[in-house]
PDB file of all heavy atoms in Angstrom:
ATOM      1  N   ALA A   1     -33.081  -5.815  73.833  1.00 98.00           N
ATOM      2  CA  ALA A   1     -31.977  -6.603  74.378  1.00 98.00           C
ATOM      3  C   ALA A   1     -31.887  -6.498  75.892  1.00 98.00           C
ATOM      4  O   ALA A   1     -31.362  -7.401  76.561  1.00 98.00           O
ATOM      5  CB  ALA A   1     -30.656  -6.148  73.752  1.00 98.00           C
ATOM      6  N   VAL A   2     -32.413  -5.394  76.442  1.00 98.00           N
ATOM      7  CA  VAL A   2     -32.358  -5.155  77.895  1.00 98.00           C
ATOM      8  C   VAL A   2     -33.770  -4.797  78.366  1.00 98.00           C
ATOM      9  O   VAL A   2     -34.065  -3.638  78.691  1.00 98.00           O
ATOM     10  CB  VAL A   2     -31.363  -4.026  78.237  1.00 98.00           C
ATOM     11  CG1 VAL A   2     -31.128  -3.953  79.741  1.00 98.00           C
ATOM     12  CG2 VAL A   2     -30.039  -4.221  77.515  1.00 98.00           C
ATOM     13  N   PRO A   3     -34.688  -5.773  78.408  1.00 98.00           N
ATOM     14  CA  PRO A   3     -36.078  -5.480  78.776  1.00 98.00           C
ATOM     15  C   PRO A   3     -36.255  -4.963  80.198  1.00 98.00           C
ATOM     16  O   PRO A   3     -37.298  -4.392  80.528  1.00 98.00           O
ATOM     17  CB  PRO A   3     -36.790  -6.824  78.577  1.00 98.00           C
ATOM     18  CG  PRO A   3     -35.704  -7.853  78.651  1.00 98.00           C
ATOM     19  CD  PRO A   3     -34.497  -7.193  78.076  1.00 98.00           C
ATOM     20  N   GLU A   4     -35.219  -5.127  81.032  1.00 98.00           N
ATOM     21  CA  GLU A   4     -35.302  -4.609  82.393  1.00 98.00           C
ATOM     22  C   GLU A   4     -35.433  -3.084  82.436  1.00 98.00           C
ATOM     23  O   GLU A   4     -35.828  -2.519  83.461  1.00 98.00           O
ATOM     24  CB  GLU A   4     -34.055  -5.024  83.203  1.00 98.00           C
ATOM     25  CG  GLU A   4     -33.949  -6.506  83.474  1.00 98.00           C
ATOM     26  CD  GLU A   4     -33.216  -7.262  82.370  1.00 98.00           C
ATOM     27  OE1 GLU A   4     -33.076  -6.703  81.242  1.00 98.00           O
ATOM     28  OE2 GLU A   4     -32.784  -8.398  82.622  1.00 98.00           O
ATOM     29  N   LEU A   5     -35.118  -2.419  81.344  1.00 98.00           N
ATOM     30  CA  LEU A   5     -35.304  -0.968  81.283  1.00 98.00           C
ATOM     31  C   LEU A   5     -36.782  -0.592  81.323  1.00 98.00           C
ATOM     32  O   LEU A   5     -37.128   0.530  81.687  1.00 98.00           O
ATOM     33  CB  LEU A   5     -34.673  -0.401  80.008  1.00 98.00           C
ATOM     34  CG  LEU A   5     -33.154  -0.512  79.868  1.00 98.00           C
ATOM     35  CD1 LEU A   5     -32.715  -0.004  78.505  1.00 98.00           C
ATOM     36  CD2 LEU A   5     -32.462   0.264  80.979  1.00 98.00           C
ATOM     37  N   GLU A   6     -37.658  -1.516  80.910  1.00 97.00           N
ATOM     38  CA  GLU A   6     -39.103  -1.268  80.870  1.00 97.00           C
ATOM     39  C   GLU A   6     -39.401   0.037  80.127  1.00 97.00           C
ATOM     40  O   GLU A   6     -40.164   0.891  80.576  1.00 97.00           O
ATOM     41  CB  GLU A   6     -39.710  -1.245  82.275  1.00 97.00           C
ATOM     42  CG  GLU A   6     -39.563  -2.573  83.002  1.00 97.00           C
ATOM     43  CD  GLU A   6     -40.301  -2.603  84.326  1.00 97.00           C
ATOM     44  OE1 GLU A   6     -40.937  -1.587  84.701  1.00 97.00           O
ATOM     45  OE2 GLU A   6     -40.243  -3.643  85.003  1.00 97.00           O
ATOM     46  N   LEU A   7     -38.800   0.169  78.954  1.00 98.00           N
ATOM     47  CA  LEU A   7     -38.895   1.396  78.175  1.00 98.00           C
ATOM     48  C   LEU A   7     -40.185   1.430  77.359  1.00 98.00           C
ATOM     49  O   LEU A   7     -40.402   0.585  76.491  1.00 98.00           O
ATOM     50  CB  LEU A   7     -37.683   1.508  77.253  1.00 98.00           C
ATOM     51  CG  LEU A   7     -37.656   2.692  76.292  1.00 98.00           C
ATOM     52  CD1 LEU A   7     -37.704   4.011  77.055  1.00 98.00           C
ATOM     53  CD2 LEU A   7     -36.427   2.617  75.401  1.00 98.00           C
ATOM     54  N   ASP A   8     -41.018   2.410  77.630  1.00 97.00           N
ATOM     55  CA  ASP A   8     -42.265   2.616  76.902  1.00 97.00           C
ATOM     56  C   ASP A   8     -42.086   3.850  76.020  1.00 97.00           C
ATOM     57  O   ASP A   8     -42.287   4.983  76.463  1.00 97.00           O
ATOM     58  CB  ASP A   8     -43.425   2.796  77.879  1.00 97.00           C
ATOM     59  CG  ASP A   8     -44.761   3.005  77.176  1.00 97.00           C
ATOM     60  OD1 ASP A   8     -44.863   2.658  75.983  1.00 97.00           O
ATOM     61  OD2 ASP A   8     -45.702   3.517  77.819  1.00 97.00           O
ATOM     62  N   LEU A   9     -41.704   3.642  74.766  1.00 97.00           N
ATOM     63  CA  LEU A   9     -41.459   4.755  73.856  1.00 97.00           C
ATOM     64  C   LEU A   9     -42.777   5.368  73.404  1.00 97.00           C
ATOM     65  O   LEU A   9     -43.771   4.662  73.226  1.00 97.00           O
ATOM     66  CB  LEU A   9     -40.666   4.273  72.644  1.00 97.00           C
ATOM     67  CG  LEU A   9     -39.193   3.948  72.909  1.00 97.00           C
ATOM     68  CD1 LEU A   9     -38.596   3.182  71.734  1.00 97.00           C
ATOM     69  CD2 LEU A   9     -38.398   5.222  73.173  1.00 97.00           C
ATOM     70  N   PRO A  10     -42.801   6.682  73.186  1.00 96.00           N
ATOM     71  CA  PRO A  10     -44.043   7.355  72.763  1.00 96.00           C
ATOM     72  C   PRO A  10     -44.355   7.101  71.302  1.00 96.00           C
ATOM     73  O   PRO A  10     -43.519   6.562  70.551  1.00 96.00           O
ATOM     74  CB  PRO A  10     -43.733   8.833  73.020  1.00 96.00           C
ATOM     75  CG  PRO A  10     -42.258   8.925  72.804  1.00 96.00           C
ATOM     76  CD  PRO A  10     -41.693   7.642  73.360  1.00 96.00           C
ATOM     77  N   ALA A  11     -45.536   7.527  70.876  1.00 97.00           N
ATOM     78  CA  ALA A  11     -45.955   7.356  69.483  1.00 97.00           C
ATOM     79  C   ALA A  11     -45.045   8.102  68.520  1.00 97.00           C
ATOM     80  O   ALA A  11     -44.943   7.736  67.343  1.00 97.00           O
ATOM     81  CB  ALA A  11     -47.396   7.819  69.320  1.00 97.00           C
ATOM     82  N   THR A  12     -44.396   9.153  68.990  1.00 97.00           N
ATOM     83  CA  THR A  12     -43.529   9.970  68.140  1.00 97.00           C
ATOM     84  C   THR A  12     -42.167   9.332  67.876  1.00 97.00           C
ATOM     85  O   THR A  12     -41.375   9.883  67.109  1.00 97.00           O
ATOM     86  CB  THR A  12     -43.326  11.351  68.782  1.00 97.00           C
ATOM     87  OG1 THR A  12     -43.094  11.193  70.187  1.00 97.00           O
ATOM     88  CG2 THR A  12     -44.552  12.231  68.560  1.00 97.00           C
ATOM     89  N   ALA A  13     -41.886   8.192  68.502  1.00 97.00           N
ATOM     90  CA  ALA A  13     -40.620   7.493  68.256  1.00 97.00           C
ATOM     91  C   ALA A  13     -40.753   6.659  66.985  1.00 97.00           C
ATOM     92  O   ALA A  13     -40.644   5.424  67.007  1.00 97.00           O
ATOM     93  CB  ALA A  13     -40.242   6.631  69.456  1.00 97.00           C
ATOM     94  N   ILE A  14     -40.978   7.339  65.875  1.00 97.00           N
ATOM     95  CA  ILE A  14     -41.165   6.660  64.593  1.00 97.00           C
ATOM     96  C   ILE A  14     -39.891   5.899  64.236  1.00 97.00           C
ATOM     97  O   ILE A  14     -38.791   6.451  64.289  1.00 97.00           O
ATOM     98  CB  ILE A  14     -41.521   7.675  63.494  1.00 97.00           C
ATOM     99  CG1 ILE A  14     -42.873   8.323  63.801  1.00 97.00           C
ATOM    100  CG2 ILE A  14     -41.530   7.027  62.123  1.00 97.00           C
ATOM    101  CD1 ILE A  14     -43.230   9.474  62.887  1.00 97.00           C
ATOM    102  N   GLY A  15     -40.053   4.634  63.879  1.00 97.00           N
ATOM    103  CA  GLY A  15     -38.911   3.775  63.596  1.00 97.00           C
ATOM    104  C   GLY A  15     -38.727   2.694  64.638  1.00 97.00           C
ATOM    105  O   GLY A  15     -38.032   1.705  64.398  1.00 97.00           O
ATOM    106  N   LYS A  16     -39.352   2.844  65.796  1.00 98.00           N
ATOM    107  CA  LYS A  16     -39.210   1.847  66.858  1.00 98.00           C
ATOM    108  C   LYS A  16     -39.818   0.505  66.474  1.00 98.00           C
ATOM    109  O   LYS A  16     -39.441  -0.535  67.015  1.00 98.00           O
ATOM    110  CB  LYS A  16     -39.846   2.343  68.151  1.00 98.00           C
ATOM    111  CG  LYS A  16     -41.363   2.501  68.111  1.00 98.00           C
ATOM    112  CD  LYS A  16     -41.892   3.104  69.412  1.00 98.00           C
ATOM    113  CE  LYS A  16     -43.392   3.343  69.383  1.00 98.00           C
ATOM    114  NZ  LYS A  16     -44.169   2.102  69.293  1.00 98.00           N
ATOM    115  N   ASP A  17     -40.767   0.511  65.517  1.00 98.00           N
ATOM    116  CA  ASP A  17     -41.450  -0.705  65.109  1.00 98.00           C
ATOM    117  C   ASP A  17     -40.759  -1.411  63.943  1.00 98.00           C
ATOM    118  O   ASP A  17     -41.235  -2.448  63.480  1.00 98.00           O
ATOM    119  CB  ASP A  17     -42.897  -0.374  64.707  1.00 98.00           C
ATOM    120  CG  ASP A  17     -43.685   0.239  65.855  1.00 98.00           C
ATOM    121  OD1 ASP A  17     -43.603  -0.273  66.974  1.00 98.00           O
ATOM    122  OD2 ASP A  17     -44.382   1.242  65.614  1.00 98.00           O
ATOM    123  N   TYR A  18     -39.657  -0.859  63.469  1.00 98.00           N
ATOM    124  CA  TYR A  18     -38.949  -1.456  62.340  1.00 98.00           C
ATOM    125  C   TYR A  18     -38.219  -2.725  62.787  1.00 98.00           C
ATOM    126  O   TYR A  18     -37.384  -2.684  63.690  1.00 98.00           O
ATOM    127  CB  TYR A  18     -37.955  -0.446  61.764  1.00 98.00           C
ATOM    128  CG  TYR A  18     -37.233  -0.930  60.528  1.00 98.00           C
ATOM    129  CD1 TYR A  18     -37.827  -0.815  59.270  1.00 98.00           C
ATOM    130  CD2 TYR A  18     -35.977  -1.495  60.612  1.00 98.00           C
ATOM    131  CE1 TYR A  18     -37.169  -1.247  58.125  1.00 98.00           C
ATOM    132  CE2 TYR A  18     -35.302  -1.936  59.475  1.00 98.00           C
ATOM    133  CZ  TYR A  18     -35.910  -1.813  58.249  1.00 98.00           C
ATOM    134  OH  TYR A  18     -35.252  -2.254  57.128  1.00 98.00           O
ATOM    135  N   LEU A  19     -38.548  -3.845  62.140  1.00 97.00           N
ATOM    136  CA  LEU A  19     -37.933  -5.129  62.482  1.00 97.00           C
ATOM    137  C   LEU A  19     -37.099  -5.702  61.342  1.00 97.00           C
ATOM    138  O   LEU A  19     -36.737  -6.884  61.371  1.00 97.00           O
ATOM    139  CB  LEU A  19     -39.020  -6.142  62.870  1.00 97.00           C
ATOM    140  CG  LEU A  19     -39.850  -5.829  64.122  1.00 97.00           C
ATOM    141  CD1 LEU A  19     -40.926  -6.898  64.302  1.00 97.00           C
ATOM    142  CD2 LEU A  19     -38.970  -5.741  65.355  1.00 97.00           C
ATOM    143  N   GLY A  20     -36.807  -4.885  60.340  1.00 96.00           N
ATOM    144  CA  GLY A  20     -36.035  -5.383  59.215  1.00 96.00           C
ATOM    145  C   GLY A  20     -36.811  -6.409  58.421  1.00 96.00           C
ATOM    146  O   GLY A  20     -37.987  -6.222  58.108  1.00 96.00           O
ATOM    147  N   ALA A  21     -36.173  -7.550  58.129  1.00 94.00           N
ATOM    148  CA  ALA A  21     -36.809  -8.605  57.349  1.00 94.00           C
ATOM    149  C   ALA A  21     -37.782  -9.432  58.181  1.00 94.00           C
ATOM    150  O   ALA A  21     -38.567 -10.204  57.624  1.00 94.00           O
ATOM    151  CB  ALA A  21     -35.747  -9.515  56.741  1.00 94.00           C
ATOM    152  N   SER A  22     -37.737  -9.292  59.485  1.00 96.00           N
ATOM    153  CA  SER A  22     -38.627 -10.055  60.361  1.00 96.00           C
ATOM    154  C   SER A  22     -40.022  -9.440  60.366  1.00 96.00           C
ATOM    155  O   SER A  22     -40.194  -8.240  60.171  1.00 96.00           O
ATOM    156  CB  SER A  22     -38.077 -10.090  61.785  1.00 96.00           C
ATOM    157  OG  SER A  22     -36.809 -10.709  61.824  1.00 96.00           O
ATOM    158  N   ILE A  23     -40.998 -10.260  60.623  1.00 97.00           N
ATOM    159  CA  ILE A  23     -42.383  -9.805  60.733  1.00 97.00           C
ATOM    160  C   ILE A  23     -42.869  -9.888  62.172  1.00 97.00           C
ATOM    161  O   ILE A  23     -43.620  -9.028  62.642  1.00 97.00           O
ATOM    162  CB  ILE A  23     -43.304 -10.635  59.819  1.00 97.00           C
ATOM    163  CG1 ILE A  23     -42.906 -10.428  58.352  1.00 97.00           C
ATOM    164  CG2 ILE A  23     -44.770 -10.254  60.015  1.00 97.00           C
ATOM    165  CD1 ILE A  23     -43.701 -11.263  57.380  1.00 97.00           C
ATOM    166  N   LEU A  24     -42.413 -10.904  62.900  1.00 97.00           N
ATOM    167  CA  LEU A  24     -42.826 -11.114  64.283  1.00 97.00           C
ATOM    168  C   LEU A  24     -41.638 -10.982  65.223  1.00 97.00           C
ATOM    169  O   LEU A  24     -40.553 -11.511  64.941  1.00 97.00           O
ATOM    170  CB  LEU A  24     -43.459 -12.498  64.438  1.00 97.00           C
ATOM    171  CG  LEU A  24     -44.005 -12.860  65.820  1.00 97.00           C
ATOM    172  CD1 LEU A  24     -45.176 -11.952  66.190  1.00 97.00           C
ATOM    173  CD2 LEU A  24     -44.427 -14.318  65.862  1.00 97.00           C
ATOM    174  N   GLY A  25     -41.811 -10.259  66.315  1.00 97.00           N
ATOM    175  CA  GLY A  25     -40.750 -10.102  67.300  1.00 97.00           C
ATOM    176  C   GLY A  25     -41.302  -9.588  68.604  1.00 97.00           C
ATOM    177  O   GLY A  25     -42.519  -9.487  68.790  1.00 97.00           O
ATOM    178  N   ALA A  26     -40.397  -9.263  69.509  1.00 98.00           N
ATOM    179  CA  ALA A  26     -40.810  -8.659  70.772  1.00 98.00           C
ATOM    180  C   ALA A  26     -41.243  -7.227  70.526  1.00 98.00           C
ATOM    181  O   ALA A  26     -40.778  -6.576  69.590  1.00 98.00           O
ATOM    182  CB  ALA A  26     -39.673  -8.700  71.791  1.00 98.00           C
ATOM    183  N   ALA A  27     -42.156  -6.718  71.349  1.00 98.00           N
ATOM    184  CA  ALA A  27     -42.541  -5.311  71.287  1.00 98.00           C
ATOM    185  C   ALA A  27     -41.311  -4.453  71.593  1.00 98.00           C
ATOM    186  O   ALA A  27     -40.317  -4.950  72.140  1.00 98.00           O
ATOM    187  CB  ALA A  27     -43.667  -5.037  72.273  1.00 98.00           C
ATOM    188  N   PRO A  28     -41.332  -3.164  71.248  1.00 98.00           N
ATOM    189  CA  PRO A  28     -40.150  -2.319  71.441  1.00 98.00           C
ATOM    190  C   PRO A  28     -39.576  -2.341  72.854  1.00 98.00           C
ATOM    191  O   PRO A  28     -38.365  -2.150  73.028  1.00 98.00           O
ATOM    192  CB  PRO A  28     -40.665  -0.924  71.070  1.00 98.00           C
ATOM    193  CG  PRO A  28     -41.691  -1.194  70.030  1.00 98.00           C
ATOM    194  CD  PRO A  28     -42.388  -2.449  70.500  1.00 98.00           C
ATOM    195  N   SER A  29     -40.384  -2.556  73.879  1.00 98.00           N
ATOM    196  CA  SER A  29     -39.877  -2.603  75.250  1.00 98.00           C
ATOM    197  C   SER A  29     -39.103  -3.879  75.539  1.00 98.00           C
ATOM    198  O   SER A  29     -38.421  -3.991  76.564  1.00 98.00           O
ATOM    199  CB  SER A  29     -41.034  -2.499  76.243  1.00 98.00           C
ATOM    200  OG  SER A  29     -41.841  -3.669  76.182  1.00 98.00           O
ATOM    201  N   GLY A  30     -39.208  -4.866  74.662  1.00 97.00           N
ATOM    202  CA  GLY A  30     -38.573  -6.159  74.897  1.00 97.00           C
ATOM    203  C   GLY A  30     -39.505  -7.165  75.531  1.00 97.00           C
ATOM    204  O   GLY A  30     -39.159  -8.344  75.668  1.00 97.00           O
ATOM    205  N   SER A  31     -40.698  -6.733  75.926  1.00 97.00           N
ATOM    206  CA  SER A  31     -41.694  -7.628  76.492  1.00 97.00           C
ATOM    207  C   SER A  31     -42.844  -7.781  75.504  1.00 97.00           C
ATOM    208  O   SER A  31     -42.993  -6.979  74.579  1.00 97.00           O
ATOM    209  CB  SER A  31     -42.230  -7.079  77.820  1.00 97.00           C
ATOM    210  OG  SER A  31     -42.909  -5.851  77.610  1.00 97.00           O
ATOM    211  N   GLY A  32     -43.672  -8.800  75.691  1.00 97.00           N
ATOM    212  CA  GLY A  32     -44.829  -8.966  74.822  1.00 97.00           C
ATOM    213  C   GLY A  32     -44.447  -9.312  73.397  1.00 97.00           C
ATOM    214  O   GLY A  32     -43.363  -9.844  73.125  1.00 97.00           O
ATOM    215  N   TYR A  33     -45.323  -8.949  72.469  1.00 97.00           N
ATOM    216  CA  TYR A  33     -45.150  -9.350  71.075  1.00 97.00           C
ATOM    217  C   TYR A  33     -45.487  -8.197  70.128  1.00 97.00           C
ATOM    218  O   TYR A  33     -46.239  -7.290  70.469  1.00 97.00           O
ATOM    219  CB  TYR A  33     -46.051 -10.546  70.751  1.00 97.00           C
ATOM    220  CG  TYR A  33     -45.775 -11.742  71.622  1.00 97.00           C
ATOM    221  CD1 TYR A  33     -46.521 -11.953  72.782  1.00 97.00           C
ATOM    222  CD2 TYR A  33     -44.770 -12.649  71.303  1.00 97.00           C
ATOM    223  CE1 TYR A  33     -46.255 -13.043  73.604  1.00 97.00           C
ATOM    224  CE2 TYR A  33     -44.502 -13.737  72.115  1.00 97.00           C
ATOM    225  CZ  TYR A  33     -45.252 -13.937  73.263  1.00 97.00           C
ATOM    226  OH  TYR A  33     -44.984 -15.006  74.070  1.00 97.00           O
ATOM    227  N   GLN A  34     -44.907  -8.299  68.938  1.00 98.00           N
ATOM    228  CA  GLN A  34     -45.166  -7.300  67.911  1.00 98.00           C
ATOM    229  C   GLN A  34     -45.223  -7.957  66.544  1.00 98.00           C
ATOM    230  O   GLN A  34     -44.396  -8.807  66.211  1.00 98.00           O
ATOM    231  CB  GLN A  34     -44.077  -6.228  67.904  1.00 98.00           C
ATOM    232  CG  GLN A  34     -44.283  -5.155  66.845  1.00 98.00           C
ATOM    233  CD  GLN A  34     -43.263  -4.034  66.959  1.00 98.00           C
ATOM    234  OE1 GLN A  34     -42.075  -4.293  67.103  1.00 98.00           O
ATOM    235  NE2 GLN A  34     -43.726  -2.807  66.894  1.00 98.00           N
ATOM    236  N   LEU A  35     -46.207  -7.560  65.759  1.00 98.00           N
ATOM    237  CA  LEU A  35     -46.311  -7.934  64.358  1.00 98.00           C
ATOM    238  C   LEU A  35     -46.086  -6.669  63.549  1.00 98.00           C
ATOM    239  O   LEU A  35     -46.805  -5.678  63.728  1.00 98.00           O
ATOM    240  CB  LEU A  35     -47.693  -8.513  64.063  1.00 98.00           C
ATOM    241  CG  LEU A  35     -47.961  -9.001  62.628  1.00 98.00           C
ATOM    242  CD1 LEU A  35     -47.108 -10.223  62.329  1.00 98.00           C
ATOM    243  CD2 LEU A  35     -49.440  -9.314  62.445  1.00 98.00           C
ATOM    244  N   SER A  36     -45.085  -6.665  62.675  1.00 97.00           N
ATOM    245  CA  SER A  36     -44.738  -5.430  61.970  1.00 97.00           C
ATOM    246  C   SER A  36     -44.272  -5.726  60.560  1.00 97.00           C
ATOM    247  O   SER A  36     -43.431  -6.604  60.337  1.00 97.00           O
ATOM    248  CB  SER A  36     -43.642  -4.670  62.719  1.00 97.00           C
ATOM    249  OG  SER A  36     -43.302  -3.473  62.055  1.00 97.00           O
ATOM    250  N   LEU A  37     -44.807  -4.973  59.595  1.00 97.00           N
ATOM    251  CA  LEU A  37     -44.415  -5.085  58.201  1.00 97.00           C
ATOM    252  C   LEU A  37     -43.531  -3.888  57.868  1.00 97.00           C
ATOM    253  O   LEU A  37     -44.012  -2.774  57.636  1.00 97.00           O
ATOM    254  CB  LEU A  37     -45.651  -5.116  57.298  1.00 97.00           C
ATOM    255  CG  LEU A  37     -45.411  -5.291  55.796  1.00 97.00           C
ATOM    256  CD1 LEU A  37     -44.721  -6.624  55.511  1.00 97.00           C
ATOM    257  CD2 LEU A  37     -46.718  -5.197  55.033  1.00 97.00           C
TER     258      LEU A  37
END
């Protein structure tokens, strides 16, 4: 929601890739793209 933070979460931030019922969305930082099941 606030991509200006430019937040790059580490691999240990398990759960950051959860998009609920969605499959396609923005990457966790709010920039780019993510495909997640």
Side-chain angles (χ1 to χ4, degrees):
V2 190
E4 293 89 343
L5 295 175
E6 298 187 0
L7 176 59
D8 180 19
L9 287 167
T12 43
I14 295 172
K16 67 184 177 65
D17 300 315
Y18 184 83
L19 296 177
S22 299
I23 297 177
L24 183 65
S29 68
S31 64
Y33 301 94
Q34 180 174 46
L35 182 67
S36 180
L37 182 62

